[in-house]
Amino acid sequence: MSGDVWFTILPDGESGVAAARLLRPWATETIAHHSGRPWLLGSWPDGLVTVGAAGARRVAVIGRCPVTAEALSARARRLRRARQ
C-alpha cells in the first residue's frame, strides 16, 4: 500500500482498535474518535481530510473541498442525530 492514497473508517470499540492494529504499519495518518480510539486511518496527502468536532460528534470531508474545520465544527454543533 506504500504511496497509495487510502482510508478506512473504524468503529469506536475493540473491533476498531483491532483493525487499526493490523493496518497501522501501512498508515501514515490517524484521526481519533472522541474516545481517543482510531476513527479514520490511512495514508493521504496534507489537506485532503478536513475534520470538525463538537463534543463527541465528528464530521469529516475527504477530498478537495473549500470547507474549513471551523465550518464543519459549527455544523457538528447543530447536529442532533444521524439519519440513514
Side-chain angles (χ1 to χ4, degrees):
M1 286 190 235
S2 179
D4 292 336
V5 174
W6 64 276
F7 72 93
T8 188
I9 303 166
L10 301 168
D12 190 8
E14 287 307 312
S15 62
V17 171
R21 196 175 303 119
L22 293 172
L23 293 169
R24 191 157 278 131
W26 296 279
T28 59
E29 306 292 333
T30 303
I31 299 171
H33 282 283
H34 179 68
S35 66
R37 292 191 276 281
W39 172 41
L40 302 176
L41 183 75
S43 183
W44 56 80
D46 288 342
L48 195 65
V49 177
T50 305
V51 176
R57 295 182 206 110
R58 299 285 184 270
V59 179
V61 172
I62 299 172
R64 306 236 183 265
C65 182
V67 71
T68 65
E70 293 77 22
L72 286 177
S73 294
R75 289 178 183 250
R77 281 190 291 277
R78 292 193 303 264
L79 289 175
R80 294 295 168 240
R81 67 175 198 217
R83 292 186 190 183
Q84 295 184 348

